[in-house]
Amino acid sequence: MNCKKELVARCLKKTTDRIAEIMHAIEQAQEAIENDTKSSAGDKYEISREMVQQDLNRYQTQLSQARKDKTILEQLPLERKEYVGLGTVIFTSAMAYFVAISIGQILLDQKTYMVISPSSPIGKLLMGKSVGGHIYFNGVSQELLAIS
């Protein structure tokens, strides 16, 4: 359980940092729009403004997803399970996984954990499996050795 709590804490830190970075980028994009005065270039100004607006829209989408990810992490069930589900740590013959949100690798106690979403390709294969089960992913067969 301690491992799960630490994984959640690290995921929350990454997600909180990501939210802060996105909000900073949004502020900069908004400042660029506000400070941009129409020049005699005409079309060049409109293209520049449209590009900044597209960046702003992309940042808003990223911010929305990061906030959803944070909510998922804050509500993760941490109790031990007999099958793979949200909040599960899985040790296979090839890798250690943590089913939460798509973050990628996290190093904890000199062990690499791949933090995955249940809707990711590997997550879909793992969901509902129990110890002794097998999955086949990217040409590699993996046996589920432990679940917590």
Side-chain angles (χ1 to χ4, degrees):
M1 186 74 84
N2 222 8
C3 168
K4 273 191 205 184
K5 286 182 181 178
E6 184 59 30
L7 284 169
V8 170
R10 291 192 184 191
C11 290
L12 274 169
K13 169 97 172 80
K14 276 188 153 189
T15 302
T16 302
D17 290 349
R18 179 166 163 70
I19 288 170
E21 289 171 10
I22 294 167
M23 290 180 72
H24 180 71
I26 287 171
E27 289 172 11
Q28 288 182 324
Q30 287 174 333
E31 284 177 16
I33 287 174
E34 291 168 7
N35 293 336
D36 207 2
T37 58
K38 190 161 185 161
S39 67
S40 60
D43 286 345
K44 184 178 178 183
Y45 165 80
E46 292 300 326
I47 290 169
S48 172
R49 188 174 178 91
E50 179 59 28
M51 289 174 67
V52 171
Q53 187 60 50
Q54 287 177 4
D55 286 345
L56 193 53
N57 293 342
R58 186 171 33 88
Y59 295 143
Q60 291 290 352
T61 302
Q62 291 174 357
L63 180 61
S64 176
Q65 183 59 52
R67 286 179 172 159
K68 286 178 190 173
D69 288 348
K70 185 176 182 211
T71 299
I72 289 169
L73 289 169
E74 291 170 341
Q75 298 174 353
L76 269 181
L78 297 180
E79 69 276 356
R80 187 175 176 83
K81 296 179 182 175
E82 298 299 317
Y83 58 89
V84 176
L86 193 59
T88 307
V89 174
I90 307 111
F91 297 94
T92 72
S93 53
M95 188 78 176
Y97 299 96
F98 178 48
V99 182
I101 61 173
S102 291
I103 284 188
Q105 294 183 354
I106 289 185
L107 185 64
L108 176 64
D109 297 330
Q110 298 178 352
K111 177 102 180 128
T112 300
Y113 294 84
M114 184 61 69
V115 182
I116 60 170
S117 161
S119 61
S120 68
I122 187 82
K124 288 178 182 177
L125 291 173
L126 288 167
M127 294 301 285
K129 300 277 189 205
S130 59
V131 172
H134 288 82
I135 63 166
Y136 190 75
F137 185 71
N138 282 346
V140 177
S141 178
Q142 299 181 47
E143 179 182 2
L144 279 73
L145 306 174
I147 297 173
S148 64

